[in-house]
């Protein structure tokens, strides 16, 4: 798609809404956005983007900058077309907004969207969606091995060489930034150098390394001496690793790696990665230090295993005869397996592994890092979404790995003869990993009379002239399932959450039978949330409908 087509999206926004907001005429002359006859919107940038083959230009639009009344409404209007956003920025109390002669209820810290400046189609505090109680059940794989947890004799492996092993390595004086050096060819960059010592330097030597991130492994004379990783708040590394040097030649191999790259924010492209120094040997003889930063370093982009295509599992160099290497760094592992039975989603549990990447039938399922454990502090049993967002808000699973289960699409799997390949950086035991399938226990929804109707009914509501109310909808997660039972249904003032619903003081005695009739035997169902459907069990109160169902 060409840039000119994408820019039409910007034209649509500015052409429809900007005349009201800025009192301006906006056009596109195939070179730039023109406002009131003046070329103001990046003519040179747009032309360069087109010449470079870019097909998307992304920009921010701060709608609240143009609020007629701060904290209440943002209105966009041209001719007969009108749209509005009504906001309650208070974090504690609900509010009522009077707009265009109508009254609108706004829960605390919420925004209502009125695409016609009249009818609410969405409020951010009243999302009409179902939730599910799910769990993962460990299953066995069936081919030559009883499971991935089976004997190590079913696994084969290849050791990744430490340091420089490829023909395309090169040498430079000084330390190079990683992203520009690797040019997106690999997450990995080797930095290799050596030092000759006349005498044994003793046991107090420390290797000081400073890196822009994101992680590194240091090898001295072919053996792992230490590792360090940054985090999302601070990717830069400043690490001191105790090392053991010997008299004579000592090889220093540093493996720097990235863990995903930032792609937004001011000057993100200048952040950089990799070991830019200084790299200093401290605690040498007589307490001296030696700065290695400006000396000659040899570089290798990527791993030898990447060059050989080991991730496909097809290479003939796999070893299965000698002693199986558990908890060894820089090791490739491979085994075969049969897909778990059934059609439920499949995941692999990487408990027992350190850090690396995994492939199933040649397809990467992502980087795994179960040894990266979150802090024990900051978690809470309850969560209030109101108020400004921060990264420390509503934390869960403190003291646990960020992820141990990794999804494998069923479409990638064959009934038998599947191949899994792992590249382990730090050291792990692949015989501990296992399959898990996702099981849905219950499907729930809770919708009140004050919820807007579903967004997809907005046009029919407007065109027919009749008022469409809120609707509770349930959909079984898998195409071959139907709703088999209704565990709970209450219209009135139900309490609790999915799996723990209870009847409140007000409850219609017809709710269960009505929902059963509408839903059981169908893969999906919708029930109107109103007294027209259930009668009125408690006049003068705002009522809601809570349902818990199972699919089979």
């Amino acid at each position: 798609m060409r840039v000119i087509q994408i820019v039409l999206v910007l034209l649509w926004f500015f052409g429809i809404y900007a005349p009201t907001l800025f009192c301006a005429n906006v056009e596109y002359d195939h070179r730039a956005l023109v406002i009131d006859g003046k070329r103001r919107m990046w003519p040179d940038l747009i032309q360069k983007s087109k010449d470079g083959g870019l097909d998307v230009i992304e920009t921010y639009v701060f709608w609240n900058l143009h609020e007629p009344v701060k904290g209440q409404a943002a209105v966009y209007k041209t001719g007969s077309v009108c749209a509005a956003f009504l906001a309650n920025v208070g974090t504690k109390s609900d509010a009522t907004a009077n707009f265009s002669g109508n009254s609108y209820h706004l829960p605390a810290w919420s925004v209502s969207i009125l695409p016609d400046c009249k009818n609410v189609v969405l409020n951010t505090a009243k999302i009409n969606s179902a939730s599910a109680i799910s769990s993962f059940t460990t299953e066995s794989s069936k081919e030559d091995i009883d499971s991935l947890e089976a004997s190590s004799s079913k696994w084969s492996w290849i050791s990744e060489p430490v340091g420089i092993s490829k023909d395309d390595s090169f040498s430079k004086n000084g330390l190079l930034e990683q992203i520009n050096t690797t040019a997106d060819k690999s997450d990995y960059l080797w930095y290799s150098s050596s030092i000759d010592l006349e005498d044994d330097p003793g046991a107090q030597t420390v290797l000081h390394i400073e890196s822009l991130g994101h992680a590194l492994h240091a090898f001295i004379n072919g053996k792992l001496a230490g590792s360090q990783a940054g985090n999302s708040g601070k990717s830069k590394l400043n690490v001191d690793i105790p090392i053991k040097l010997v008299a004579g030649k000592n090889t220093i191999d540093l493996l720097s790696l990235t863990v995903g790259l930032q792609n937004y924010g001011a000057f993100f492209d200048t952040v950089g990665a990799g070991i830019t120094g200084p790299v200093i040997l401290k605690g040498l003889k007589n307490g001296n230090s030696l700065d290695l930063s400006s000396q000659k370093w040899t570089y290798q982009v990527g791993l030898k295993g990447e060059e050989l295509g080991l991730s496909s599992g097809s290479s003939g160099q796999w070893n299965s005869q000698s002693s199986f290497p558990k908890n060894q760094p820089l090791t490739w592992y491979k085994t075969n397996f049969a897909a778990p039975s059934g059609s439920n989603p499949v995941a692999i549990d990487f408990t027992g592994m350190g850090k690396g990447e995994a492939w199933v039938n040649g397809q990467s399922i992502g980087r795994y890092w179960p040894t990266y454990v979150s802090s024990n502090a900051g978690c809470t049993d309850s969560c209030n979404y109101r108020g400004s967002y921060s990264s420390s808000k509503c934390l869960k699973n403190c003291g646990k790995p960020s992820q141990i289960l990794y999804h494998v699409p069923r479409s990638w799997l064959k009934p038998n003869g599947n191949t899994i390949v792992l590249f382990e950086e730090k050291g792990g035991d692949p015989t501990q990993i296992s399959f898990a399938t996702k099981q849905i226990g219950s499907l729930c929804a809770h919708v009140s009379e004050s919820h807007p109707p579903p967004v997809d009914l907005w046009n029919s509501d407007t065109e027919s002239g009749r008022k469409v109310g809120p609707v509770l909808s349930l959909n079984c997660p898998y195409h071959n399932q139907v709703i088999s039972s209704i565990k709970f249904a209450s219209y009135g003032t139900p309490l609790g959450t999915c799996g723990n619903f209870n009847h409140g003081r007000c409850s219609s005695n017809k709710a269960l039978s009505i929902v059963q009739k509408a839903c059981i035997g169908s893969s999906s169902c919708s029930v109107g949330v109103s007294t027209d459907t259930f009668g009125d069990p408690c006049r003068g109160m705002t009522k809601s409908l809570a349902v818990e169902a199972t699919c089979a």
Side-chain angles (χ1 to χ4, degrees):
M1 193 186 326
R2 295 181 59 81
V3 170
I4 186 171
Q5 295 172 306
I6 299 301
V7 170
L8 288 177
V9 176
L10 292 175
L11 270 180
W12 174 81
F13 180 86
F14 284 102
I16 289 190
Y17 294 139
T20 297
L21 300 177
F22 302 104
C23 297
N25 292 316
V26 181
E27 297 176 329
Y28 177 61
D29 68 352
H30 299 280
R31 285 189 57 210
L33 295 179
V34 181
I35 302 176
D36 281 339
K38 295 182 179 180
R39 202 173 273 114
R40 297 182 180 180
M41 297 296 287
W42 333 306
D44 186 54
L45 173 62
I46 290 178
Q47 187 59 50
K48 287 180 178 178
S49 300
K50 292 171 67 176
D51 294 344
L54 297 181
D55 59 1
V56 173
I57 295 178
E58 180 178 313
T59 185
Y60 292 100
V61 177
F62 299 99
W63 64 267
N64 60 330
L65 182 65
H66 311 290
E67 295 174 291
V69 181
K70 184 171 178 59
Q72 290 186 359
V75 182
Y76 305 95
K77 187 175 183 180
T78 179
S80 61
V81 179
C82 180
F85 296 80
L86 306 183
N88 177 8
V89 297
T91 60
K92 296 182 179 180
S93 302
D94 293 0
T96 299
N98 295 312
F99 174 72
S100 294
N102 294 312
S103 181
Y104 298 90
H105 174 256
L106 296 171
W109 199 255
S110 72
V111 176
S112 286
I113 301 175
L114 290 67
D116 57 358
C117 285
K118 181 180 178 181
N119 295 293
V120 177
V121 298
L122 179 73
N123 179 274
T124 55
K126 298 179 180 179
I127 303 299
N128 186 353
S129 63
S131 60
I133 299 175
S134 62
S135 62
F136 282 88
T137 302
T138 301
E139 293 201 5
S140 293
S141 153
K142 292 189 273 299
E143 200 172 33
D144 296 330
I145 54 176
D146 293 330
S147 75
L148 291 181
E149 300 168 296
S151 131
S152 59
S153 64
K154 304 302 181 181
W155 286 85
S156 53
W157 66 94
I158 294 176
S159 294
E160 174 71 25
V162 173
I164 308 303
S165 59
K166 295 168 59 181
D167 295 335
D168 59 358
S169 62
F170 61 94
S171 297
K172 292 275 187 180
N173 288 329
L175 296 163
L176 300 181
E177 190 275 330
Q178 181 170 349
I179 296 175
N180 288 307
T181 304
T182 59
D184 289 334
K185 293 180 181 179
S186 175
D187 290 344
Y188 301 94
L189 178 64
W190 280 106
Y191 297 69
S192 183
S193 189
S194 62
I195 179 175
D196 289 307
L197 299 176
E198 294 182 0
D199 302 313
D200 187 339
Q204 303 300 317
T205 310
V206 170
L207 179 62
H208 174 81
I209 307 171
E210 294 185 25
S211 168
L212 297 178
H214 304 147
L216 65 86
H217 306 295
F219 295 82
I220 303 298
N221 297 324
K223 296 186 180 297
L224 180 64
S227 301
Q228 186 71 26
N231 55 54
S232 58
K234 184 182 178 182
S235 61
K236 292 184 178 181
L237 307 176
N238 190 324
V239 58
D240 290 305
I241 301 174
I243 61 174
K244 175 64 176 176
L245 299 177
V246 297
K249 183 178 180 180
N250 292 269
T251 302
I252 301 172
D253 295 301
L254 307 177
L255 180 60
S256 177
L257 54 133
T258 55
V259 189
L261 299 178
Q262 182 179 344
N263 62 0
Y264 70 94
F267 309 110
F268 75 86
D269 54 327
T270 66
V271 173
I275 302 167
T276 53
V279 175
I280 303 172
L281 284 175
K282 298 179 178 181
L284 296 173
K285 190 174 181 180
N286 298 322
N288 293 329
S289 296
L290 177 62
D291 191 338
L292 306 176
S293 306
S294 58
Q295 76 172 46
K296 184 177 180 181
W297 290 83
T298 302
Y299 295 90
Q300 175 182 297
V301 175
L303 306 171
K304 184 67 174 179
E306 291 177 314
E307 182 181 63
L308 296 174
L310 297 186
S311 61
S312 68
S314 58
S315 169
Q317 302 178 27
W318 295 92
N319 182 0
S320 58
Q321 303 302 317
S322 57
S323 176
F324 182 69
K326 294 182 182 179
N327 301 313
Q328 294 296 312
L330 301 187
T331 306
W332 296 81
Y333 297 100
K334 181 184 80 165
T335 195
N336 296 320
F337 66 94
S341 59
S343 59
N344 289 349
V346 177
I348 296 179
D349 185 336
F350 278 88
T351 298
M353 299 303 292
K355 179 184 182 301
E357 188 171 353
W359 296 262
V360 170
N361 293 334
Q363 301 283 347
S364 175
I365 63 172
R367 304 177 183 90
Y368 62 83
W369 201 350
T371 54
Y372 188 82
V373 177
S374 63
S375 168
N376 286 311
C379 280
T380 177
D381 294 331
S382 61
C383 176
N384 186 345
Y385 70 90
R386 299 169 179 172
S388 300
Y389 171 79
S390 71
S391 59
S392 60
K393 190 172 187 177
C394 299
L395 295 181
K396 302 290 184 182
N397 298 319
C398 287
K400 296 181 180 179
S402 60
Q403 185 176 351
I404 58 171
L405 294 169
Y406 290 76
H407 178 230
V408 183
R410 282 274 183 182
S411 60
W412 292 1
L413 298 176
K414 302 174 289 186
N416 296 284
N418 299 284
T419 300
I420 181 172
V421 174
L422 314 175
F423 173 63
E424 175 57 46
E425 294 174 16
K426 299 179 65 176
D429 182 358
T431 64
Q432 292 187 36
I433 70 174
S434 59
F435 280 110
T437 55
K438 187 177 182 179
Q439 313 292 330
I440 303 295
S442 291
L443 193 65
C444 300
H446 191 179
V447 177
S448 77
E449 292 177 320
S450 64
H451 273 65
V455 174
D456 55 0
L457 295 181
W458 175 67
N459 280 335
S460 61
D461 182 8
T462 305
E463 293 168 1
S464 67
R466 62 185 179 85
K467 185 70 174 177
V468 176
V471 173
L472 182 146
S473 298
L474 297 173
N475 291 275
C476 288
Y478 308 126
H479 66 87
N480 59 343
Q481 290 184 322
V482 297
I483 297 171
S484 57
S485 68
I486 304 298
K487 290 183 175 182
F488 179 90
S490 176
Y491 176 75
T493 56
L495 307 171
T497 57
C498 188
N500 293 289
F501 283 133
N502 292 291
H503 293 281
R505 297 180 63 183
C506 164
S507 182
S508 169
N509 56 15
K510 298 186 292 184
L512 182 60
S513 60
I514 291 173
V515 174
Q516 287 175 330
K517 183 177 180 180
C519 297
I520 289 181
S522 300
S523 60
S524 64
C525 65
S526 297
V527 182
V529 182
S530 71
T531 55
D532 293 339
T533 305
F534 298 97
D536 194 343
C538 42
R539 296 184 182 277
M541 299 182 65
T542 299
K543 291 164 281 292
S544 63
L545 173 63
V547 175
E548 179 179 351
T550 56
C551 294

